Amino acid sequence: METRLVDRYGRVHDYLRISVTDRCNLRCLYCMPAEGVEFMPHNKLLTNDEIEEVVRAAAKLGVRKIRLTGGEPTVRAGLPQLIKRIASVPGIIDVALTTNGLLLGNMAADLYEAGLQRVNISIDSLQPERFKQMTRGGDLSKVLASIEKCVQLGLSPIKLNVVLVRGYNEDEFDDFLRLTIDRPLTVRFIEYMPIGGRQADWKHNYIALEERLHASQFGRAAVPLAKPDHGGPAEYYRIPDALGSFGLIHPVSEHFCDTCNRLRLTADGFLKPCLYWSDEFQIRRYIGDEHALMNALLRSLDAKPLNHEMAREWSGQQLSHEPTTRTMSQIGG
Ligand code: SAM
Ligand code: SF4
């Protein structure tokens, strides 16, 4: 058996993003419809035992980095225990979390004690009313308090994810850059992606990040940084003398598929080789048989396409096959 997750284009996969729940305590306008989505019944979600087994099999195939996401991962009961189990799997050297931060303040110390190494917190506005509007009900003060808590705990790096949405928050670009001046924070701006039936809103609200950077005098003064060792899709910059940095993640205007190193596992046990396309592989049935599970992980890469087609979708061109109908909250971002 092949011992590494290498696809037909030679891309080595050492990163698994695991959605631990599709449930969420927010309804961000770029992620879910206003009426929400029907949540999976609890018995459909992979258990901690099952997730650990998948991680063990993946680690034997060279996966080194795990990111827990959702839905909102902090609403899953027993998250610290799950992190502890994943962090102790031989071969796993990095366990990270993406969260909306609402519940993180009270949990951060426990999560880090359990073995969490890094956290990304999503925050799309620094204005309480606008934040509430974009997240459909979120309390900004709770997210800011969680960020403070993580800074106090000395966690590093703390990354803030900001999806720029035209007509909502693009005027806060400089405010987010200012956050990086005297705080050890990394702000990452993310382009709005057309995932899971959000196409109509997307065409209206998508904004290319380069365009926003060049429109900002502050942003233009920033200095590009070398790519961090762990790679990743962001291009990083620093404002001269700032303690923190900022990054641009522009999957639509300039895709980074040629360096894709990630596989995704949904909360109901499907492997997704690409965020954009509908292809997915049910692997729950192989849990309990490590050899079969490793085989399924390897096979899931067989059909991994070279790239997504968000830019084609933008320009109204025919797509080569079917995009996913899962929402971001059902995939994990
Ligand atoms: N609930 C957690 C959170 O919001 O951080 C984790 C799950 S969320 C799906 C993961 C990331 O995907 C978040 O940073 C969110 O902002 C981002 N996201 C969701 N929908 C998106 C979209 N249509 N385009 C770009 N990013 C999106
Ligand atoms: Fe929930 Fe995260 Fe989606 Fe917002 S982006 S609705 S917090 S899953």
Side-chain angles (χ1 to χ4, degrees), residues 24-28 30-32 70-72 100 122 328-329:
C24 188
N25 44 4
L26 292 179
R27 301 275 179 280
C28 300
Y30 47 74
C31 180
M32 277 200 211
E72 175 46 41
N100 63 30
S122 302
M328 272 291 201
S329 62

Side-chain angles (χ1 to χ4, degrees), residues 30-31 69-73 98-100 122 161 163 190-193 328 332-333:
Y30 47 74
C31 180
T69 174
E72 175 46 41
T98 298
T99 169
N100 63 30
S122 302
N161 286 352
V163 180
I190 304 174
E191 284 182 348
Y192 184 3
M193 290 180 260
M328 272 291 201

Side-chain angles (χ1 to χ4, degrees), residues 23-43:
R23 280 159 209 265
C24 188
N25 44 4
L26 292 179
R27 301 275 179 280
C28 300
L29 54 88
Y30 47 74
C31 180
M32 277 200 211
E35 65 279 16
V37 286
E38 199 179 324
F39 294 135
M40 299 162 189
H42 276 294
N43 65 359

Side-chain angles (χ1 to χ4, degrees), residues 3-5 12-15 57-65:
T3 52
R4 286 189 318 161
L5 290 161
V12 178
H13 293 67
D14 59 3
Y15 174 21
K60 289 194 172 159
L61 292 168
V63 166
R64 297 289 167 261
K65 173 175 163 182

Side-chain angles (χ1 to χ4, degrees), residues 23-293:
R23 280 159 209 265
C24 188
N25 44 4
L26 292 179
R27 301 275 179 280
C28 300
L29 54 88
Y30 47 74
C31 180
M32 277 200 211
E35 65 279 16
V37 286
E38 199 179 324
F39 294 135
M40 299 162 189
H42 276 294
N43 65 359
K44 282 226 166 172
L45 303 187
L46 295 181
T47 63
N48 283 4
D49 286 347
E50 289 174 317
I51 293 175
E52 182 186 342
E53 250 194 76
V54 177
V55 172
R56 282 188 187 279
K60 289 194 172 159
L61 292 168
V63 166
R64 297 289 167 261
K65 173 175 163 182
I66 301 289
R67 176 170 296 278
L68 301 182
T69 174
E72 175 46 41
T74 58
V75 305
R76 178 172 169 128
L79 188 64
Q81 291 83 340
L82 178 61
I83 288 174
K84 194 166 185 180
R85 290 172 71 165
I86 291 174
S88 64
V89 170
I92 298 302
I93 58 171
D94 187 13
V95 184
L97 179 77
T98 298
T99 169
N100 63 30
L102 278 184
L103 303 174
L104 183 66
N106 291 333
M107 299 173 72
D110 286 349
L111 299 183
Y112 281 88
E113 199 167 310
L116 184 72
Q117 280 151 295
R118 297 181 304 116
V119 67
N120 291 3
I121 301 173
S122 302
I123 175 168
D124 299 313
S125 175
L126 299 170
Q127 302 176 16
E129 272 316 303
R130 188 181 278 179
F131 182 83
K132 188 171 268 179
Q133 183 193 15
M134 291 187 74
T135 56
R136 300 199 182 97
D139 179 347
L140 178 64
S141 66
K142 289 194 176 146
V143 181
L144 293 174
S146 294
I147 296 169
E148 263 334 295
K149 181 78 184 185
C150 291
V151 172
Q152 278 166 20
L153 286 168
L155 307 176
S156 173
I158 302 167
K159 294 184 181 169
L160 306 186
N161 286 352
V162 182
V163 180
L164 268 202
V165 186
R166 192 184 295 282
Y168 285 90
N169 62 352
E170 80 264 40
D171 59 337
E172 290 187 62
F173 191 82
D174 284 4
D175 297 337
F176 276 107
L177 292 189
R178 271 186 211 99
L179 269 191
T180 69
I181 294 180
D182 51 12
R183 322 281 293 145
L185 300 171
T186 303
V187 171
R188 306 185 326 153
F189 298 99
I190 304 174
E191 284 182 348
Y192 184 3
M193 290 180 260
I195 302 295
R198 310 229 43 78
Q199 283 73 4
D201 289 349
W202 175 64
K203 283 251 168 170
H204 200 241
N205 299 128
Y206 165 75
I207 177 162
L209 289 182
E210 292 291 328
E211 176 190 321
R212 198 59 204 82
L213 180 68
H214 291 124
S216 157
Q217 205 175 358
F218 211 18
R220 286 200 305 273
V223 182
L225 301 177
K227 276 240 170 206
D229 288 346
H230 53 82
E235 283 166 6
Y236 287 100
Y237 299 83
R238 192 188 307 281
I239 293 167
D241 299 326
L243 273 186
S245 59
F246 72 95
L248 304 184
I249 302 180
H250 35 57
V252 183
S253 59
E254 202 181 321
H255 72 71
F256 32 79
C257 302
D258 50 341
T259 57
C260 185
N261 65 344
R262 56 190 64 187
L263 258 174
R264 292 174 167 83
L265 178 63
T266 66
D268 53 346
F270 286 78
L271 276 176
K272 281 189 70 64
C274 176
L275 169 69
Y276 182 73
W277 298 114
S278 59
D279 315 57
E280 48 184 51
F281 303 87
Q282 207 257 54
I283 56 160
R284 193 174 211 169
R285 72 183 88 157
Y286 302 114
I287 293 174
D289 178 344
E290 188 171 76
H291 192 262
L293 194 51

